[in-house]
Amino acid sequence: MLEGVRVLACGGRDAVTLCATLLERAGATVDVCAKDPVDYDVIVVSSDVDRAAGWRSSGEAIVCDITATGPQDSRAGTPWSDAHIQAMSGLMDTTGFAQGAPARIGVAFTEVSAALYASAAIAAAVRVKRRRGIVQNIDVTLSGCAASALTTFLPAAFAGRTAGRVGNRHPACAPWNAYRTCDGWILICTSTEAQWCKLRQEARVPQLDDARFATLGDRVRHADELDALIESWTATLATDACTRICERIGVAAGPIVGIGELSREPNFRMRHAEAAQAIETGGIDADTYKQVSIFQTSALSRTPAIAKPQTGECGGPLAGVKVIEIGQYTTAPLVGKHLAALGAKVVKIEPPEGEVARSWLPGQGGTSYFFALNNTDKETIALDLKQESDRAHLRTLLADADVLVENLRPGALAKLGFTREALGAINPRLVYCSISGFGIASAYPSRPAFDTVIQAMGGLMDLTRGEGAPVKIGASGADILGGQAALFAIVARLATRSEEADEAGTFIEIAMQDVAAWCALFAAGRERPRGQALACLDGHVWVERDITDAERACCIALTRKEAAARLGGATPVARVDELLQDGDFLADVLSAARDANGAFWPVLKVPYRLSKTPASVRAVPGAPHRIRRVRPATAPAPVPEDRPA
C-alpha cells in the first residue's frame, strides 16, 4: 500500500506515535526522532508539544503537524492534553450517567482520532505528490477531531436544544442499556418493535406487558421502570447465557469485557490468537496494541485486471476516483463523506424509502441534521436490490468504480449476488471495503452489532467509568473509529496505485471490535492520566491534578469560569449547545453548505487541512434519485410474408 514511502515521526503526542504505527502497518518505512530530516517523504510532528521538532519548510517532504488546536484558534500553541480537549469540545459532557458528573473517555480519543485522520491525509498527500509532483503541509487538530465525533449531539444544538448525558442508554430507543447479570454486565440494544416483542416474550416478566411500554415513545419516557424490569430478568442469568438468548432472537447484545479479559473474549482470540497468547503470557505493555491490526487486506478475486484509462486530474487529492457507498448511519457514510471531501465522486445507494437516518429529528425540509452531517457532497440513488433491474444498475455503476464501501451485515451483499468473486468479475480493479462489527471470519457470524455493543466487547467501556461503573463513550466511538480505520485503509490503497498498470483489486476488511480493542490496548499499556471533574454552580470543570477537599467544596459555590481561574490549570467542561456561541468553534470548525434547493445547512469542516489540495465540504444531498424501471418491450407481431413490411 505505502511501500517505498519513508516516514520520520518526531513528536511527543500519542497521535504521532499512533500515526507512525498506522503508516508502518500500511507498508511505509518509519524512523523515530532522527536528527537529520533529509530523504524522508513524510515528516510527522506535534509542534505545540515539541516546538523545536517541526520542519515545516523542508521543501521535499510532506510535513504533517498534529496539534491540540488550529493556528487561528485563540488557544493555539498551548499543548493541551486529550482530556482538556475532551472538556473544551463537549465530548466529556456527553459521556457519563445523566445524574452524575461528566466522565473522561478512558482512551485518548482525540489523539487516536487525530492519528487516524492524519494517516488518511498523509496517504492522500502521497498520492498527490506521486501523480502531480505537489508537496504540501498538513495540519490536523485534536479539537477538530473532537467536533467531528459530535454528529449525534450537534443536531439538538442546531435546533436550539441541549442534549444531555444518557449513560449507556440511547436517547430515542428503549430498552437500550447495560444490565447486571448474575456474574457481570450485559449490553442489550433494541432498535425495532419486532426486537422489543421478542425480548419481552423471552423475558417473561408480566409487568412488561403494561401499557406504559406499549409504544417506543412510552418505553423511552418510562425507561427507568423498564430497565428495572429488564434487569430483574437478566440478573437471574449468566452473561453468556443471556447473550446467547439475545443472539438467537436477533437482538444486539454482548458482555462488558474487562480489558484484562480481552484475551479470552472468543472473537478477539479467534482473530488475534498471537496477541491473545502474548497478553496471557506477559500481560499488557506499551507495545501490545501493535499486535492487533485494525484492517486486513487480500486479493479481491482471481479475475485478471485491466488498466484504467488515465485522465487529467485537478482539484482534491482523490479527483478522478469514483466511489460506491452502500450503508447507513455512521461508519460507511463517514468514509464516503471524507472521500467526497477529498475530491472523489461518491454515489450513495439508498433503499427505495431512503436511508432511515434521513427522517430522524431534528432537521429541516424533511431531512435530518444527522444525515446532512454524515453525507455531504454525495450523489444519492434509491435502489431496491431485491429487484434484478436495480441490481443490474448497481453492476453498471460498479463496472467503472474505483472503490466500494459498505457496512451491511456480513454476507448480506453476497446473498444479493455480489460476492467477492462476482465483484471481481464486474470490476477486477475494484477496492472493496467491508465494515462490520465482528468481521467476516467471526466467532459470532449471526450476531447483530451496534456501536454500544462493540464498545462493550472491545474494552472501551471497561476503561471509561462514570461513578465507578462502566459507561460507553457518549459519541458513537466504535462506529467513528471503525469508519476512520476504513478511510485510512482505502486512501492508503489508492495512494500508490498506478492507473496504467494492470493492478488487481483489493478486499479490505474492517471489524469494529478490532479497532476498539486496538485503542483499548494502547490506553491500557500506558499510565492512566490523573484528573477529575468538579461540580460548579453552572456545570463542571476538569482538573488534571490531585484536589483537596477544600478546593472541591469551594468549586460548588463558583461558576465554571471562576473555578477555572481560582484553581489554575482547570478547564471548563463545555456543553455541546454552548459551542454555537464559541468564536473558535464557529471560525475553525463550523461551516455552511447548500442543498439542491438553495437552503443553507450547518456542517463541519474536516479536521485535517492540506495546504495545496484542500479537502472541502460543499453540499448537502437532496432526496435520492430514483431509477426508472423499464418494462421489457412487447415483441412486435410477426409480419406475414405475403405483405410488405
Side-chain angles (χ1 to χ4, degrees):
M1 298 170 80
L2 294 179
E3 286 78 7
V5 177
R6 291 198 63 202
V7 178
L8 171 62
C10 195
R13 285 199 173 277
D14 284 345
V16 175
T17 300
L18 288 166
C19 182
T21 302
L22 290 165
L23 295 173
E24 189 170 43
R25 167 68 181 84
T29 300
V30 178
D31 292 331
V32 178
C33 292
K35 294 182 179 180
D36 188 356
V38 176
D39 294 332
Y40 287 98
D41 301 292
V42 178
I43 300 172
V44 189
V45 298
S46 50
S47 65
D48 57 348
V49 172
D50 309 276
R51 298 185 187 279
W55 293 288
R56 181 166 291 274
S57 300
S58 63
E60 296 300 319
I62 298 162
V63 179
C64 180
D65 190 6
I66 305 174
T67 56
T69 57
Q72 306 305 318
D73 194 292
S74 64
R75 301 160 295 194
T78 302
W80 302 104
S81 70
D82 165 79
H84 280 127
I85 296 298
Q86 287 189 35
M88 295 173 184
S89 68
L91 265 182
M92 187 178 290
D93 195 61
T94 66
T95 301
F97 294 101
Q99 305 306 318
R104 180 185 65 85
I105 297 170
V107 300
F109 184 86
T110 67
E111 297 270 5
V112 175
S113 182
L116 286 161
Y117 277 133
S119 299
I122 288 167
V126 168
R127 175 182 168 89
V128 172
K129 181 180 179 181
R130 293 201 169 190
R131 298 169 75 91
R132 306 186 216 172
I134 298 173
V135 179
Q136 57 192 315
N137 294 323
I138 302 168
D139 288 299
V140 181
T141 66
L142 273 61
S143 57
C145 294
S148 295
L150 293 172
T151 51
T152 54
F153 292 91
L154 282 169
F158 295 157
R161 303 203 299 264
T162 299
R165 292 183 293 282
V166 294
N168 292 317
R169 286 176 172 166
H170 190 288
C173 296
W176 185 303
N177 210 339
Y179 302 95
R180 289 189 183 274
T181 63
C182 66
D183 61 353
W185 293 85
I186 186 171
L187 255 294
I188 297 178
C189 308
T190 63
S191 60
T192 68
E193 200 67 23
Q195 291 171 356
W196 156 244
C197 291
K198 290 178 181 179
L199 185 67
R200 184 188 63 199
Q201 292 167 5
E202 194 66 40
R204 299 179 184 176
V205 177
Q207 296 93 321
L208 292 177
D209 294 325
D210 194 277
R212 291 173 297 169
F213 314 125
T215 68
L216 176 59
D218 292 332
R219 294 193 292 277
V220 171
R221 282 189 293 274
H222 297 96
D224 288 341
E225 302 101 300
L226 177 63
D227 284 343
L229 292 170
I230 295 293
E231 192 165 272
S232 72
W233 167 61
T234 62
T236 67
L237 299 168
T239 305
D240 284 347
C242 192
T243 302
R244 286 195 299 271
I245 290 171
C246 290
E247 184 172 1
R248 174 171 53 80
I249 63 176
V251 171
I256 297 178
V257 178
I259 190 67
E261 303 165 351
L262 193 58
S263 63
R264 298 188 295 277
E265 199 288 313
N267 199 56
F268 180 88
R269 191 173 189 87
M270 173 184 169
R271 294 177 61 84
H272 307 286
E274 292 184 8
Q277 183 63 43
I279 292 170
E280 291 179 352
T281 302
I284 300 170
D285 61 28
D287 291 326
T288 301
Y289 78 101
K290 294 180 181 179
Q291 298 183 59
V292 176
S293 177
I294 65 170
F295 62 87
Q296 303 289 340
T297 60
S298 57
L300 179 62
S301 73
R302 301 183 186 89
T303 307
I306 301 172
K308 179 181 178 180
Q310 193 165 7
T311 58
E313 296 178 6
C314 60
L318 299 185
V321 172
K322 178 180 175 182
V323 178
I324 307 299
E325 173 202 311
I326 307 175
Q328 54 184 350
Y329 304 127
T330 299
T331 48
L334 180 148
V335 178
K337 166 188 171 172
H338 284 277
L339 294 175
L342 288 165
K345 175 184 178 181
V346 178
V347 180
K348 180 183 179 73
I349 307 301
E350 299 187 50
E353 65 277 10
E355 182 182 325
V356 172
R358 279 183 177 271
S359 61
W360 290 0
L361 297 176
Q364 61 182 23
T367 299
S368 70
Y369 288 124
F370 175 87
F371 180 86
L373 286 168
N374 284 286
N375 291 282
T376 43
D377 303 305
K378 301 174 186 177
E379 298 179 20
T380 57
I381 297 177
L383 293 180
D384 182 356
L385 296 180
K386 296 178 181 178
Q387 302 292 329
E388 172 53 31
S389 59
D390 286 18
R391 291 197 296 271
H393 189 78
L394 177 57
R395 286 191 286 269
T396 300
L397 291 172
L398 289 168
D400 66 344
D402 297 282
V403 177
L404 167 64
V405 57
E406 53 94 355
N407 66 336
L408 305 178
R409 187 177 294 193
L413 205 56
K415 288 180 181 179
L416 295 169
F418 296 95
T419 62
R420 286 169 58 180
E421 281 296 328
L423 290 168
I426 294 168
N427 183 347
R429 290 176 52 82
L430 187 68
V431 176
Y432 168 31
C433 179
S434 170
I435 310 170
S436 63
F438 300 109
I440 304 298
S442 167
Y444 316 120
S446 62
R447 183 178 296 185
F450 286 120
D451 168 85
T452 310
V453 172
I454 299 302
Q455 287 197 41
M457 296 182 67
L460 295 178
M461 280 183 62
D462 181 49
L463 294 176
T464 304
R465 296 268 166 166
E467 314 301 318
V471 64
K472 73 180 183 70
I473 300 170
S476 300
D479 281 346
I480 292 165
L481 295 170
Q484 287 184 268
L487 174 68
F488 167 57
I490 291 169
V491 181
R493 181 64 189 92
L494 296 174
T496 56
R497 188 176 208 180
S498 171
E499 304 300 335
E500 299 173 351
D502 298 342
E503 295 193 29
T506 303
F507 176 63
I508 300 172
E509 181 197 2
I510 304 290
M512 289 155 51
Q513 188 191 28
D514 292 351
V515 183
W518 182 78
C519 297
L521 289 170
F522 178 79
R526 279 154 177 74
E527 183 179 353
R528 184 176 178 85
R530 293 185 302 171
Q532 55 189 300
L534 301 181
C536 300
L537 283 173
D538 59 347
H540 294 78
V541 292
W542 176 258
V543 185
E544 292 193 342
R545 60 177 176 83
D546 294 331
I547 294 295
T548 66
D549 291 340
E551 288 176 318
R552 183 176 288 103
C554 176
C555 280
I556 297 175
L558 302 175
T559 65
R560 286 173 292 173
K561 185 176 180 179
E562 292 168 342
R566 179 78 63 87
L567 292 175
T571 303
V573 178
R575 298 194 311 269
V576 174
D577 58 291
E578 293 174 333
L579 299 177
L580 300 187
Q581 284 77 50
D582 181 271
D584 292 317
F585 180 85
L586 296 176
D588 202 42
V589 176
L590 197 65
S591 185
R594 278 187 166 181
D595 63 21
N597 297 319
F600 285 98
W601 291 77
V603 294
L604 299 175
K605 299 174 184 176
V606 296
Y608 46 88
R609 311 290 163 82
L610 291 90
S611 62
K612 296 180 181 178
T613 59
S616 61
V617 178
R618 303 169 298 277
V620 170
H625 175 65
R626 301 186 183 278
I627 300 302
R628 195 177 202 179
R629 292 202 184 102
V630 180
R631 294 183 178 179
T634 303
V639 179
E641 292 183 359
D642 60 343
R643 292 185 183 180

